Amino acid sequence: SVYNIKNDNHCNNDNSHKYDRWEKTFGLTSKYWKRRNGADHILVMSEPLHGFSHPKNRRGNYHYLHSQKQLSPPIVISIELSTTFVEMYPNCARKNILMPYPNTDGKWFNGAYDQQTQELWAKLQVPNISESPAALQAELAMVADDSSSSSSSATESSSWLLSQSRPLTQFYGAGNHGSCKLLRQRLGINYRCSESGKLANRFSRQIKYQHGYRKSTFCPCPGGDSPSAKRHFDALHAGCIPVILSHDFVWPFTSEFDNSKSRQLAAAAAADSEQATKRMLRTRDNDDTTSMISPIPLSASDFALRLNASEFEGRKYGNQCQEVWNHPSNSSSSSSETPPQPKDLQSYLETISSSEIERLRTGALQASDLYSYYKRRPDLPENPLRQGILPDGGAAHQLVGMLSERAKGNLWPACQKEQQQQQAESNPSMIDKVLSFKC
């Protein structure tokens, strides 16, 4: 690969002939790379499993170490890291940049999908929240407390997403694939037999996920081929609270990715973080593009739930939606005891209070602003990139801020030292043997 022409190992000690092939192959000088051994250069991995190589059945840490060169001097910008990798190499993870999945479909941010959802719901005569058997009691209580929710305008996207009623407890549509196949299978059958699944499936041919997300309180997000998926961020853009069922998933811009954010969040909490965030966002809207921008830290617990995936791998329902723990085939002939009831996501979500839902939904819209590549506005074209409109949303500002923090490759030395300590204290080959992601 192009990168392997220049690099022989992670720490990359320079020598006089290392760059001869590079200069001969591409006709470019290596003097800028040599300046800081590449630590002020940028590598972009635009897909979760994108890299310089694609060895079969080698995911997990192996992918980040060898396919994406995350332990090498350059700043690697990617859209996925794993909890396992961050815990093993916190300084190297911080040396790089974790970004949200790009969404450049203007309909997510100009109110088109909001309006489309309302019109489709009315056309199909889908039950509203007061008539829906799939609505949470907590949502009904919130509607009773806020009679103005039914008159919200769909032209103001953020206000509409916050104030509208949601007749579905959850909306789920992930396929049965990847390393977390069992979890996905069980979530699927339990969802299909829930009131949310029954109601959504009545209109499954007409209701796409961008519509279902806008009418659901929660959006389950299990791991699959990799820990992350675009749905994690689309849920936030639709005002749906993500339910993370993946041990290795990492939210960008949070302490899950960068431990230094914990100190920033603590300081923000002491100074009223919500108002501070709003002030910083207003400053960005009016700021000169050449000014220094500091990235805003997020707390994942403010906008998403994270559950232990293994607790939801039980099967509550059979193929005919009968409760399997009451089915004769699920009981031993030598025992009259009823098997333990499996943990069901729908039942868990029904225990969450109105105040907690309101808190998480408010946080979800604030997180969406920082994870959006385009600002919400009614005049945004459906395909802004085709119109030559560059990203101007929170994610673009965050990227500029994080690049400024990593200027001149100043975070590389800590990563290099961390690797040296790892090699001295443990067997590096054991780290390479993390070949899969954890559900």
Side-chain angles (χ1 to χ4, degrees):
S1 72
V2 171
Y3 188 80
N4 285 334
I5 289 176
K6 296 184 292 182
N7 293 272
D8 299 321
N9 54 52
H10 298 325
C11 294
N12 200 22
N13 295 319
D14 193 13
N15 61 64
S16 58
H17 301 291
K18 178 174 290 187
Y19 303 98
D20 289 352
R21 287 183 60 200
W22 170 266
E23 295 183 340
K24 182 178 179 179
T25 302
F26 299 102
L28 300 172
T29 180
S30 61
K31 69 177 182 179
Y32 299 110
W33 182 275
K34 291 178 180 177
R35 180 176 53 192
R36 295 186 178 90
N37 207 20
D40 54 358
H41 284 54
I42 298 170
L43 301 176
V44 179
M45 306 296 169
S46 58
E47 299 178 9
L49 296 179
H50 182 76
F52 291 108
S53 62
H54 300 275
K56 187 176 181 181
N57 297 325
R58 293 181 182 270
R59 300 287 191 243
N61 274 13
Y62 190 96
H63 172 66
Y64 301 125
L65 271 62
H66 300 284
S67 299
Q68 292 193 342
K69 307 295 182 181
Q70 296 257 5
L71 299 187
S72 296
I75 301 165
V76 180
I77 301 177
S78 64
I79 59 173
E80 180 179 80
L81 282 178
S82 71
T83 300
T84 302
F85 176 80
V86 173
E87 289 176 347
M88 286 185 173
Y89 290 103
N91 288 327
C92 290
R94 183 170 182 258
K95 181 267 297 183
N96 300 314
I97 294 176
L98 180 64
M99 292 294 291
Y101 274 57
N103 184 337
T104 59
D105 182 351
K107 296 189 291 294
W108 280 88
F109 309 107
N110 62 14
Y113 279 145
D114 304 340
Q115 188 66 43
Q116 192 181 100
T117 300
Q118 292 291 71
E119 293 172 354
L120 182 63
W121 230 253
K123 178 182 177 181
L124 297 176
Q125 297 183 330
V126 182
N128 59 35
I129 187 168
S130 62
E131 301 168 345
S132 171
L136 286 172
Q137 290 298 314
E139 285 279 6
L140 291 168
M142 291 166 65
V143 171
D145 291 340
D146 185 7
S147 59
S148 64
S149 63
S150 60
S151 61
S152 298
S153 169
T155 60
E156 297 181 359
S157 186
S158 294
S159 299
W160 183 85
L161 290 171
L162 276 174
S163 61
Q164 69 148 329
S165 60
R166 295 181 180 250
L168 296 173
T169 297
Q170 57 170 316
F171 187 86
Y172 180 73
N176 297 329
H177 60 83
S179 57
C180 305
K181 185 176 180 179
L182 175 61
L183 172 67
R184 285 168 165 251
Q185 287 176 335
R186 298 299 165 80
L187 288 175
I189 185 64
N190 291 345
Y191 168 74
R192 181 173 64 83
C193 295
S194 71
E195 292 297 339
S196 294
K198 291 175 182 177
L199 179 57
N201 287 338
R202 282 169 51 191
F203 308 98
S204 59
R205 293 186 179 181
Q206 294 89 0
I207 296 177
K208 307 302 181 184
Y209 89 104
Q210 61 263 33
H211 309 128
Y213 277 15
R214 282 169 167 77
K215 288 294 184 178
S216 299
T217 304
F218 296 100
C219 290
C221 300
D225 293 322
S226 66
S228 66
K230 184 171 175 284
R231 72 168 60 86
H232 295 57
F233 303 95
D234 286 346
L236 291 170
H237 299 328
C240 187
I241 301 166
V243 182
I244 305 303
L245 292 148
S246 170
H247 170 83
D248 266 340
F249 175 71
V250 177
W251 284 109
F253 314 154
T254 69
S255 59
E256 293 180 2
F257 157 67
D258 180 355
N259 288 333
S260 69
K261 300 301 180 190
S262 298
R263 296 188 295 273
Q264 297 178 37
L265 285 166
D272 188 348
S273 59
E274 182 176 344
Q275 293 302 318
T277 298
K278 289 180 179 178
R279 285 194 297 273
M280 293 175 76
L281 286 172
R282 284 199 300 271
T283 300
R284 287 180 173 182
D285 291 342
N286 301 321
D287 225 350
D288 187 307
T289 56
T290 62
S291 63
M292 186 67 72
I293 298 174
S294 297
I296 299 174
L298 286 170
S299 174
S301 62
D302 287 343
F303 60 83
L305 296 177
R306 183 181 284 272
L307 305 179
N308 185 340
S310 63
E311 294 181 359
F312 295 88
E313 290 180 344
R315 184 167 180 171
K316 180 178 180 180
Y317 297 104
N319 292 334
Q320 303 303 316
C321 289
Q322 75 279 16
E323 294 185 350
V324 294
W325 61 80
N326 289 331
H327 196 278
S329 64
N330 201 39
S331 300
S332 170
S333 57
S334 61
S335 174
S336 60
E337 293 183 5
T338 302
Q341 181 173 327
K343 209 164 188 177
D344 171 47
L345 183 60
Q346 175 76 26
S347 300
Y348 176 85
L349 297 176
E350 288 172 355
T351 66
I352 299 175
S353 68
S354 298
S355 59
E356 180 65 359
I357 290 172
E358 195 165 15
R359 183 188 73 84
L360 288 168
R361 186 171 295 152
T362 300
L365 265 296
Q366 292 174 352
S368 173
D369 286 341
L370 291 184
Y371 288 148
S372 298
Y373 285 81
Y374 286 96
K375 295 178 183 177
R376 296 179 187 272
R377 57 181 187 273
D379 62 341
L380 185 68
E382 289 188 6
N383 193 329
L385 288 178
R386 184 176 294 176
Q387 300 292 325
I389 301 174
L390 296 177
D392 61 354
H397 288 290
Q398 293 283 91
L399 177 59
V400 172
M402 289 187 291
L403 284 171
S404 70
E405 289 180 335
R406 291 155 179 79
K408 300 181 179 180
N410 56 13
L411 298 186
W412 162 242
C415 172
Q416 191 174 31
K417 182 178 179 181
E418 185 172 67
Q419 293 179 66
Q420 293 168 350
Q421 291 174 338
Q422 282 273 16
Q423 292 169 357
E425 297 172 4
S426 62
N427 182 358
S429 64
M430 294 302 295
I431 298 171
D432 284 2
K433 289 181 180 179
V434 181
L435 302 179
S436 61
F437 297 113
K438 294 181 182 178
C439 297

